[in-house]
Amino acid sequence: MDPKNETADLKKQPQDETAANVDQKRWRLKISAVFSIGAAMLLALIGGTMLLFVSDATNRQATALMGETGALIVERGLEVVGDFFRNEERMGLLVADMLSNPVVYAAPATLHEQLISILSRQTNIKRISYTFPTGREISVQLSQADQPTKEDFVTPPNERDMEAGDLRWGAPYYDEEIGETFMNFAIYIRNPIDNTISKLTLDYPTALLGQLISRIKWRESQVPFILYGQNLVLASSEDAFSDFEPSVAKPVPTISDLSDTPLSMIWEEDVQRRSLSTNYSAHIDATPYGTYLYLYDSLRNGSHPPIVVGSYVLASEFSEPFDNLHRIYIAATAFLAGGVLLMFLIGRKLAGPFIALGTQANAIRNLHMEGLTALPRSRLKEVDEANQAFNSAGVALSAFSRYVPRDLVRVLLESEFEGLNSTELREMTILFSDIAGFTGVASKLTAEETTSLLNTHFQELADCIGQTQGTIDKYIGDGCMAFWGAPETMENHAQAAIDAVHLIAKSLGEELEKEGGGTDKPRLRIGVHTGTVVVGNIGATERMNYTVIGDAVNVAARLEALGKKVDPEARVIALASGTTVMKMTDNSKPQHLGEYHLRGRDEAVDVYRIV
């Protein structure tokens, strides 16, 4: 063996394995997938542009419609609510002017009280309170205007109140005595005579704002709302708002109190949101209750409180004019899907012969030659030629696997027949078997009977050797040579060989029992030895043999021949060297026969009888 060649082979092997692994990991497409992808790309190129244009046009038109309609909704809401507050502020200023008039101011207090009582009956005001510079406060309730006015002493208004603004709306509060929620409008009045400051307070029930909801709503799915700030709900058409029970601690519900309504999601940041570019505030949210368009804006004029007026409406309502476009979109998508499916079916039909070819190729790669079936003829010329060529290759490989050890064929196929000239030193276990007295038995048989006997015998050996992952090297007349530990490495090759010996002995024993144990049946001798041998492809370029050579092979052959001397009458005798027995792992105790000098060896060999 040339050391240079062996070194070159060792260097080349990792590179070849790396290239093979990279090639194996490359993804490959099925023919049906190629047709499907190709059709999908072509149809997508043709129809995708149209679908994209239709979708974009639909979105733009729907967004424009949302913006225009939303502007009308918001303007309507601001107008209705703004008019309410402006009218009440004008009324409050009118009352303040009357009470601050020098003539009225100089009149007796009873006149003030009478004026307040009269005004309370003609306005939306629920309660009017007037605080004198002295801190004396008189108040009249609309529902009790015929009753005497209530009087109390409170902190008198001062210059600091005037500096904060002479017109001021207060936050909603709950009057426990009346059982109603109010908002008050305070007007600070500087008395023209003595320059003192008085305060006029007008209380309005927040229920008045609820009456405005019906005037704001003009679409079926529209839900108007009025907020104080961003959290307090002054009015809404939701049932949850009507069911709310006010209290001193919570005069009106917060947004979170209406948890089962889309209004509770208006300020949520963790929803899927798309904002619209408008002069007011608008955004589309995908809520658990559906996809809604929120439209709102704040009152910005005069002394109005921090009021937010808005509505929310189902976004789908704005897409109704474009349903036809969406139907076209869906129909075109279905057409594309149908085209892709059709191309997939065509590709699958064309892929059928190649799938069958791949199945047969995998069977050959795994050496399942018994399952090979001839590929059918095809109307496609190229496919038919490929099938017929493959059928011929299958027959050749099937024959090849009969003359070469199947494990060797498998290794050669996996390595793509690389390294055919390489050999190596390896520790292996070798077995030789021979039929004792075969000449006498064969002399009584015809040629056909002799062939049948040998074939049956060798099949039994092959089955037992194959079960223990051994490899049959060759048949020598009526003998057989096999080895363990190649072409694939085995850690327990010695034990595997001994297991094969026991299987062979068991098989022959069962055969003798079945046939009555006739004395004319041939006897079998087996020799087993473990040692370092040269293993690999040996021979000429035109013809090679995967075999093992070395002293260990000779020892195994001599042990087989020694069986004739040890027990010439035994039906089955199997001898193994001490080297093999030392490597056994089944804890069995073979019979020790002592040391023997084998022909061709100077040193004695420790011999054990296995069977």
Side-chain angles (χ1 to χ4, degrees), residues 308-581:
V308 176
V309 182
S311 299
Y312 48 92
V313 62
L314 283 170
S316 58
E317 187 172 317
F318 293 92
S319 63
E320 290 180 0
F322 308 101
D323 282 345
N324 289 335
L325 289 178
H326 281 290
R327 291 190 185 96
I328 294 174
Y329 183 92
I330 294 172
T333 303
F335 172 76
L336 289 177
V340 172
L341 178 61
L342 179 62
M343 295 304 295
F344 173 79
L345 294 176
I346 294 175
R348 188 173 181 179
K349 185 69 174 177
L350 292 176
F354 295 99
I355 294 174
L357 185 65
T359 302
Q360 297 289 74
N362 284 330
I364 289 178
R365 182 174 64 182
N366 297 322
L367 299 181
H368 295 157
M369 301 302 181
E370 299 79 6
L372 288 180
T373 57
L375 294 174
R377 305 299 295 262
S378 174
R379 293 184 180 275
L380 299 176
K381 181 179 179 181
E382 293 81 359
V383 174
D384 184 69
E385 291 177 352
N387 285 355
Q388 299 311 307
F390 189 84
N391 287 338
S392 300
V395 172
L397 281 174
S398 180
F400 176 65
S401 66
R402 291 178 180 271
Y403 290 95
V404 181
R406 183 163 295 191
D407 288 339
L408 175 59
V409 176
R410 183 179 294 108
V411 171
L412 290 175
L413 288 174
E414 290 176 354
S415 64
E416 297 181 355
F417 289 83
E418 293 184 358
L420 291 177
N421 296 323
S422 63
T423 57
E424 61 177 312
L425 290 174
R426 186 182 295 185
E427 184 184 79
M428 298 172 57
T429 299
I430 298 91
L431 177 148
F432 273 87
S433 73
D434 185 65
I435 300 177
F438 178 75
T439 303
V441 175
S443 64
K444 302 175 183 179
L445 303 175
T446 64
E448 291 78 7
E449 291 173 335
T450 302
T451 302
S452 175
L453 174 65
L454 284 176
N455 287 341
T456 301
H457 171 68
F458 287 145
Q459 185 62 54
E460 292 175 351
L461 294 183
D463 292 341
C464 296
I465 294 170
Q467 289 181 42
T468 56
Q469 287 75 51
T471 300
I472 294 177
D473 185 303
K474 58 179 69 73
Y475 298 112
I476 309 170
D478 57 346
C480 175
M481 173 183 172
F483 53 79
W484 285 258
E488 297 179 351
T489 304
M490 292 179 64
E491 296 293 334
N492 58 342
H493 49 81
Q495 183 62 54
I498 298 301
D499 291 341
V501 171
H502 288 299
L503 289 174
I504 293 170
K506 181 180 178 181
S507 176
L508 291 179
E510 292 175 352
E511 182 181 351
L512 287 174
E513 291 180 4
K514 186 185 302 182
E515 297 182 3
T519 57
D520 58 340
K521 294 297 180 182
R523 300 184 302 277
L524 185 66
R525 297 194 301 267
I526 299 174
V528 182
H529 178 57
T530 301
T532 301
V533 296
V534 176
V535 59
N537 295 295
I538 299 174
T541 305
E542 294 79 11
R543 171 115 186 252
M544 286 189 175
N545 185 25
Y546 187 85
T547 186
V548 293
I549 58 175
D551 182 62
V553 179
N554 297 331
V555 172
R558 299 293 183 265
L559 287 173
E560 177 268 314
L562 182 63
K564 182 177 182 180
K565 178 179 178 181
V566 172
D567 189 353
E569 300 302 323
R571 282 295 181 185
V572 180
I573 180 170
L575 303 181
S577 67
T579 306
T580 300
V581 173

Side-chain angles (χ1 to χ4, degrees), residues 116-127:
I116 292 173
S117 178
I118 293 171
L119 289 170
S120 66
R121 297 188 187 97
Q122 304 301 321
T123 66
N124 290 323
I125 303 170
K126 183 77 172 188
R127 178 168 52 199

